[in-house]
């Protein structure tokens, strides 16, 4: 079932990217984003809790779909490398533009998929579901910055993580990035 959900999400983003080519540039923006990701891993085994932290980088592509002048829907696909983990982030954020200066607030959901890492971790649940919020600001008509925090709602189960057998864990992320739109915005 999780693979079907990933497949459907990738088809939706691909369709959005293709439709963006045929729409007016005012209605849809396509671009790239890259930045820093800080991940906190929280685990639990037999009622004992533990935390671990890691950082790395991410890069990806997005589609910014104008619903109205103030509300935008932004699906994206990001690939991250955090410590020894390779992770795919699939965020779907609703953005609200504040004024004409390019400030925005973001809220939405994100699906994560663990591709594994340098060490085999024995993950049973590679998919995770997160809720997120963030802020963004346009620097120029094409360049913007953004920061998001996501909190994982789902719990993942692993057979062997950090040498400890059969436990639950989840990721919480802070992502700070800079992006580039292929066609500029009208404001600023």
């Amino acid at each position: 079932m999780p693979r079907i959900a990933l497949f459907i999400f990738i088809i939706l983003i691909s369709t959005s990217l293709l439709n963006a080519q045929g729409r007016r540039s005012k209605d849809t923006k396509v671009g790239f984003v890259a930045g820093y990701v800080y991940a906190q891993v929280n685990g639990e085994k037999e009622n004992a809790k533990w935390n671990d932290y890691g950082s790395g980088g991410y890069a990806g592509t997005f589609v910014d779909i104008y619903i109205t002048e103030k509300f935008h829907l932004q699906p994206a696909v990001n690939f991250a490398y955090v410590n020894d983990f390779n992770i795919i982030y699939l965020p779907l954020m609703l953005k609200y533009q504040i004024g004409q200066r390019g400030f925005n607030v973001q809220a939405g959901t994100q699906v994560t998929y663990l591709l594994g890492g340098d060490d085999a971790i024995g993950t049973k649940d590679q998919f995770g579901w997160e809720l997120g919020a963030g802020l963004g600001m346009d620097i120029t008509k094409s360049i913007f910055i953004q920061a998001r925090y996501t909190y994982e709602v789902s719990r993942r189960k692993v057979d062997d993580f950090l040498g400890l057998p059969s436990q639950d864990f989840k990721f919480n992320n802070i992502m700070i990035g800079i992006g580039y739109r292929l066609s500029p915005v009208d404001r600023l």
Side-chain angles (χ1 to χ4, degrees), residues 2 8 18 26 36 72-73 87 98 104 111 113 116 123 131 138:
I8 290 170
L18 292 173
K26 180 181 177 186
Y36 171 78
H72 302 201
L73 187 63
I87 307 167
I98 301 171
N104 64 71
V111 173
Y113 183 77
T123 306
L131 298 176
D138 293 335

Side-chain angles (χ1 to χ4, degrees), residues 23-183:
R23 297 179 76 177
R24 297 179 324 184
S25 63
K26 180 181 177 186
D27 295 338
T28 302
K29 307 294 181 194
V30 178
F32 302 98
V33 66
Y36 171 78
V37 61
Y38 174 80
Q40 176 187 22
V41 183
N42 299 309
E44 184 176 324
K45 178 185 182 254
E46 298 172 2
N47 297 326
K49 298 183 184 226
W50 55 269
N51 293 339
D52 196 11
Y53 305 91
S55 62
Y58 77 96
T61 184
F62 67 90
V63 178
D64 193 358
I65 303 166
Y66 283 46
I67 299 170
T68 68
E69 197 63 34
K70 296 275 186 189
F71 285 100
H72 302 201
L73 187 63
Q74 188 176 41
V77 176
N78 298 318
F79 174 79
Y81 182 78
V82 178
N83 287 3
D84 293 331
F85 289 99
N86 297 311
I87 307 167
I88 293 177
Y89 293 100
L90 303 169
L92 180 60
M93 294 289 172
L94 181 63
K95 292 173 42 177
Y96 178 74
Q97 292 297 133
I98 301 171
Q100 291 296 315
R101 290 307 212 195
F103 291 102
N104 64 71
V105 292
Q106 307 167 12
T109 186
Q110 177 170 279
V111 173
T112 57
Y113 183 77
L114 294 177
L115 295 172
D118 295 338
D119 299 325
I121 60 169
T123 306
K124 289 182 182 176
D125 300 324
Q126 293 174 305
F127 277 95
W129 176 56
E130 302 171 359
L131 298 176
L135 298 170
M137 183 178 80
D138 293 335
I139 302 298
T140 68
K141 291 185 176 201
S142 294
I143 298 173
F144 65 91
I145 56 173
Q146 66 183 15
R148 292 181 183 157
Y149 174 77
T150 57
Y151 175 81
E152 186 165 4
V153 178
S154 60
R155 296 290 267 178
R156 300 173 199 248
K157 189 78 148 169
V158 293
D159 287 334
D160 181 19
F161 185 70
L162 301 176
L164 303 171
S166 189
Q167 56 187 310
D168 293 335
F169 75 99
K170 65 180 184 171
F171 282 95
N172 298 322
N173 302 287
I174 295 174
M175 300 175 89
I176 301 169
I178 186 166
Y180 179 78
R181 293 182 197 92
L182 296 177
S183 56

